[in-house]
Amino acid sequence: MKNINKYIIAIAAMLMMTSCYDGIDPITEVDPGPDLEDPTAELISPNGNVLIPFTDTEVDLDIEVLVEDDIEIDNVTVILDGNTIRTFESFLDYRIFMETFQYENLQLGSHNLIVNVTDTSGKTASDDLTFTLDNTYLPSVEGETFYIPFFEGLYTELISESEPIVVGTPDIVSGGYSGNTYKGATDSYLTFPIDGLFGEDSFSATFWYKVNSTPDRAGILVVGNDTPENRNQGFRLFREGSETQQTIKANIGIGSADSWNDGGVIDVTAGKWVHIALTVSATESKIYFNGVEQLSATLSSSIDWTDCSKITIGSGGETFNYWGHLSDLSEIDELRLYNKALSQAEIEAMQ
């Protein structure tokens, strides 16, 4: 009886399988026809020059290729600077092939990338791109003319790719707001020429600052001329105060007189980085801490740059060393200058 039941179940299963194929044509091979068209090859990525952060000197490059043929792809090769870096000979879809992969540690400079395809009839196609891998700094805000990040022990200004005159023994140390930072020293500062840095009647300066209250006063950023104790040209951003509080102030030369902005107070005991911005338009100066306006001062005339030729960083320097405004032992990071008066929204975006 058991054997009879098994036979019945087996026959029923066979009948069910047969019924599943009722109405379905069997699979038959279709002749693809003659191979009439050339294959196509396309480099999807990169599609132009590649820009990487200025702090980097190499990149893991993403490469994407697309290959198509009317009948069947035989092989695909990718060549970088004359060397084959990938070969593909097995394809899930014989007519369309898309692949993304990385080439590691590509160095700065000019490079040539080629993708070649051959179909099964021997027809070929290729696509190539000559591109540059570059880490040149691009200004982050319209009007930015000057930027020193103080990274890797360098005082290099990245927009002009120029070096300062270094006076004394300032230093670049770790622990900055972003990586390394400038740290002042006694009788020490940097100077750069100011050609092309400022607008005719407006400018801005921004930087991150960790104040050292010793000495109790110092110059921070100064542009002046050679006239002794003259404040009618250029500008002076400086600090004055005590061991616990330091006031950031600005003095703007307007030709026949000067204008004072008494700024705001930094709590020295907090030991925190503060983002400082000084903006000067044709009619007023403003000082901001962390994007918040501290004080504005009206200018009766626009700033006068007569006979001003250089900016001093980290000291009163040669033109503002009186009243004790000598070298600043504080830390300065991410220093930028602009040829316009920044808006508060632009400054807030830097926080």
Side-chain angles (χ1 to χ4, degrees):
M1 186 66 179
K2 291 183 178 179
N3 289 336
I4 293 174
N5 288 339
K6 289 180 180 179
Y7 291 140
I8 293 173
I9 292 171
I11 292 170
M14 292 176 64
L15 290 172
M16 291 177 64
M17 291 176 63
T18 302
S19 67
C20 288
Y21 291 99
D22 287 348
I24 299 178
D25 293 333
I27 297 174
T28 58
E29 183 177 355
V30 177
D31 185 355
D35 190 342
L36 300 176
E37 298 181 10
D38 291 340
T40 61
E42 182 180 2
L43 282 168
I44 303 297
S45 178
N47 58 10
N49 292 334
V50 178
L51 184 67
I52 61 176
F54 64 89
T55 52
D56 295 342
T57 58
E58 62 183 26
V59 71
D60 293 340
L61 182 70
D62 291 323
I63 298 173
E64 183 176 1
V65 300
L66 172 63
V67 168
E68 297 184 67
D69 188 62
D70 61 334
I71 301 299
E72 185 175 346
I73 301 166
D74 183 69
N75 66 80
V76 175
T77 59
V78 181
I79 301 169
L80 178 64
D81 297 335
N83 299 309
T84 299
I85 59 173
R86 284 293 176 94
T87 299
F88 304 95
E89 296 178 331
S90 178
F91 310 97
L92 293 176
D93 187 330
Y94 291 107
R95 297 188 178 189
I96 300 177
F97 174 68
M98 178 178 284
E99 181 73 6
T100 301
F101 64 94
Q102 272 194 345
Y103 180 82
E104 297 181 348
N105 305 322
L106 184 66
Q107 303 296 305
L108 297 175
S110 179
H111 301 280
N112 180 253
L113 185 64
I114 303 172
V115 55
N116 292 322
V117 56
T118 302
D119 67 15
T120 53
S121 69
K123 295 184 179 68
T124 62
S126 66
D127 190 20
D128 72 280
L129 172 70
T130 297
F131 66 95
T132 300
L133 179 64
D134 194 7
N135 64 352
T136 301
Y137 174 73
L138 295 178
S140 58
V141 176
E142 181 183 356
E144 183 181 343
T145 59
F146 183 100
Y147 173 47
I148 310 182
F150 301 109
F151 73 102
E152 296 181 359
L154 301 175
Y155 297 116
T156 307
E157 194 284 302
L158 295 185
I159 296 178
S160 65
E161 297 184 352
S162 61
E163 302 292 333
I165 294 175
V166 180
V167 176
T169 57
D171 200 2
I172 294 178
V173 300
S174 61
Y177 179 81
S178 177
N180 292 342
T181 180
Y182 173 93
K183 182 174 178 57
T186 302
D187 298 328
S188 302
Y189 52 89
L190 311 176
T191 67
F192 283 89
I194 65 169
D195 295 341
L197 295 185
F198 305 117
E200 182 178 354
D201 59 7
S202 59
F203 78 96
S204 299
T206 66
F207 56 95
W208 288 93
Y209 190 63
K210 183 180 280 189
V211 64
N212 181 340
S213 60
T214 303
D216 65 358
R217 62 190 60 218
I220 303 173
L221 298 176
V222 173
V223 173
N225 59 27
D226 293 333
T227 304
E229 299 196 18
N230 169 51
R231 295 178 303 282
N232 292 351
Q233 282 76 39
F235 72 91
R236 288 137 289 279
L237 184 68
F238 59 98
R239 64 171 178 81
E240 296 176 339
S242 66
E243 291 184 358
T244 59
Q245 293 185 329
Q246 285 283 314
T247 303
I248 305 298
K249 302 181 180 182
N251 172 265
I252 313 298
I254 54 175
S256 59
D258 58 346
S259 171
W260 293 88
N261 184 325
D262 288 333
V265 176
I266 294 178
D267 178 4
V268 178
T269 63
K272 294 182 178 180
W273 285 96
V274 178
H275 186 265
I276 295 178
L278 167 66
T279 69
V280 176
S281 69
T283 58
E284 63 182 351
S285 68
K286 295 182 178 181
I287 293 177
Y288 297 83
F289 290 172
N290 297 327
V292 178
E293 183 180 328
Q294 302 297 300
L295 194 66
S296 64
T298 300
L299 304 182
S300 60
S301 183
S302 61
I303 189 169
D304 185 345
W305 301 107
T306 301
D307 294 332
C308 295
S309 60
K310 63 184 177 182
I311 181 169
T312 299
I313 301 166
S315 175
E318 298 174 2
T319 64
F320 190 54
N321 53 18
Y322 48 93
W323 299 342
H325 296 108
L326 304 176
S327 296
D328 191 357
L329 307 189
S330 304
E331 296 178 24
I332 300 172
D333 203 1
E334 297 290 304
L335 173 61
R336 288 177 164 92
L337 303 174
Y338 312 81
N339 61 12
K340 68 175 188 176
L342 294 173
S343 68
Q344 185 164 10
E346 288 174 315
I347 296 170
E348 288 175 344
M350 299 174 187
Q351 309 309 302

